[in-house]
């Protein structure tokens, strides 16, 4: 009997992307999870967004860390295991690492391999004595990890950038619970959370004049074409982002400019003119709202640092 030809190995992440897109386009309203923004190009576009004058969160959080980093490190414990979720380019991380002792351990966790490699190399060159254990992984699947550390070292998750805002409040509570399971009793969480503020400022932040946010949103369609062989005309979709006051969140959508169809494998997904794919939510929380949310996951707020204008909060929580 002849051997059957081997099935080509499939990348599980491609399968994940394929099944998520397929399921998301079958839903009404259509949606795709924001974690798929971050291929290498999407991560680069996100870095560009962070440099725009309209996108205040990055520079505001950086200012807070710069001013209060020493105080934060003292609360975490200078020889802790610092686990950064979705570390990306880890631009702000030195503002904490510079206050840690040489026996601290830094564990960057990111889904994007080139970003993880480059940022770990850069940080290792800046802090040669610090032990680093980069972990390429999807932080939405936290419970699977076992991070090597000494029993007496406190484990602290560092989750900057208000990435928690990209979860629904229910998902945020689940994520905060899995962070609690990961760090265990005595563990901590240092987290950056974007605050509520005037609508005009929020809308401008997600509609930058340089068009980086639009390119970031539309890159999802390019990924679908390149990685999944989707047949679509990306020029017939437009970026749309606005603050939804009822839900306290920015919503990002890809709006169909005309009646058209996306083809994915054997399946067709028709769009009416004006119909959207909902690609992201970005929730904004007052310090009080975030404290309540964290409490539902078993966390106690220990300290909050913010900028002069109250645009952004960095919280330290313990179990
Ligand atoms: C990563 N995350 C917190 C960003 C945000 O503000 O929600 C992603 C982003 N989307 C558009 N601009 C930035």
């Amino acid at each position: 009997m002849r051997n059957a030809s081997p099935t080509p190995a499939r990348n599980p992440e491609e399968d994940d992307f394929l099944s998520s897109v397929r399921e998301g386009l079958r839903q009404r309203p259509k949606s795709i999870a924001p974690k798929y923004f971050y291929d290498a190009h999407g991560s680069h576009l996100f870095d560009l967004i962070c440099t725009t004058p309209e996108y205040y969160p990055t520079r505001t959080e950086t200012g807070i860390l710069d001013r209060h980093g020493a105080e934060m490190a003292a609360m975490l414990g200078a020889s802790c295991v610092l686990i950064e979720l979705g570390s990306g380019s880890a631009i702000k991380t030195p503002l904490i690492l510079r206050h840690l002792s040489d026996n601290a351990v830094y564990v960057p966790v990111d889904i994007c391999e080139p970003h993880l490699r480059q940022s770990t190399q850069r940080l290792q060159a800046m802090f040669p004595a610090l032990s680093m254990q980069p972990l390429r992984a999807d932080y939405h699947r936290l419970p699977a990890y076992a991070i090597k550390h000494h029993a007496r070292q406190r484990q602290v998750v560092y989750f900057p950038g208000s990435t928690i805002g990209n979860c629904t409040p229910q998902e945020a509570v689940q994520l905060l619970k899995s962070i609690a399971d990961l760090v265990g009793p005595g563990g901590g969480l240092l987290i950056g959370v974007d605050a509520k503020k005037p609508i005009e400022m929020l809308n401008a932040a997600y509609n930058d004049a340089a068009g980086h946010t639009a390119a970031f949103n539309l890159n999802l369609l390019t990924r679908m074409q390149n990685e999944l062989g989707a047949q679509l005309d990306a020029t017939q979709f437009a970026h749309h982002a606005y603050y939804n006051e009822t839900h306290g969140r920015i919503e990002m959508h890809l709006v169909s400019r005309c009646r058209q169809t996306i083809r994915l494998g054997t399946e067709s997904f028709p769009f009416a003119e004006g119909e959207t794919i909902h690609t992201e939510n970005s929730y904004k929380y007052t310090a009080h709202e975030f404290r309540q949310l964290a409490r539902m996951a078993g966390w106690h707020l220990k300290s909050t640092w913010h900028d002069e204008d109250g645009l952004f909060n960095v919280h330290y929580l313990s179990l």
Side-chain angles (χ1 to χ4, degrees), residues 38 46 49 55 161-163 166 206 213 216 252 280 282 284:
Y38 301 93
F46 179 65
I49 291 173
Y55 194 75
S162 201
T163 306
N166 298 134
Y206 292 81
T213 312
F216 176 70
M252 291 220 310
E280 188 178 61
S282 191
K284 310 300 169 189

Side-chain angles (χ1 to χ4, degrees), residues 38 42-62 89-92 115 161 163 205-206 208 212-213 216:
Y38 301 93
S43 301
H44 169 67
L45 289 170
F46 179 65
D47 287 347
L48 292 179
I49 291 173
C50 294
T51 65
T52 63
E54 297 92 340
Y55 194 75
Y56 60 85
T58 312
R59 63 171 180 276
T60 310
E61 186 179 34
T62 304
S89 306
I91 302 290
K92 290 167 275 194
H115 254 73
T163 306
Y206 292 81
D208 62 285
H212 296 315
T213 312
F216 176 70

Side-chain angles (χ1 to χ4, degrees), residues 194-198 202 243 245 247-248 284-286 289 310-311:
D194 198 9
K196 288 198 159 76
K197 57 185 59 65
L202 286 165
Y243 186 64
E245 232 174 337
H247 292 288
K284 310 300 169 189
Y285 295 105
T286 64
E289 286 168 340
L311 300 180

Side-chain angles (χ1 to χ4, degrees), residues 248-304:
R249 68 189 189 201
I250 285 281
E251 290 188 15
M252 291 220 310
H253 295 260
L254 289 164
V255 189
S256 179
R257 296 181 191 271
C258 60
R259 271 183 66 181
Q260 59 180 324
T261 300
I262 291 183
R263 292 197 169 74
L264 194 58
T266 55
E267 219 170 328
S268 293
F269 300 95
F271 283 74
E273 182 180 346
E275 189 177 351
T276 78
I277 309 175
H278 187 168
T279 51
E280 188 178 61
N281 289 319
S282 191
Y283 282 83
K284 310 300 169 189
Y285 295 105
T286 64
H288 177 71
E289 286 168 340
F290 189 74
R291 176 202 284 257
Q292 305 279 89
L293 198 77
R295 205 177 270 167
M296 286 191 253
W299 289 98
H300 303 284
L301 190 71
K302 290 284 164 196
S303 204
T304 298

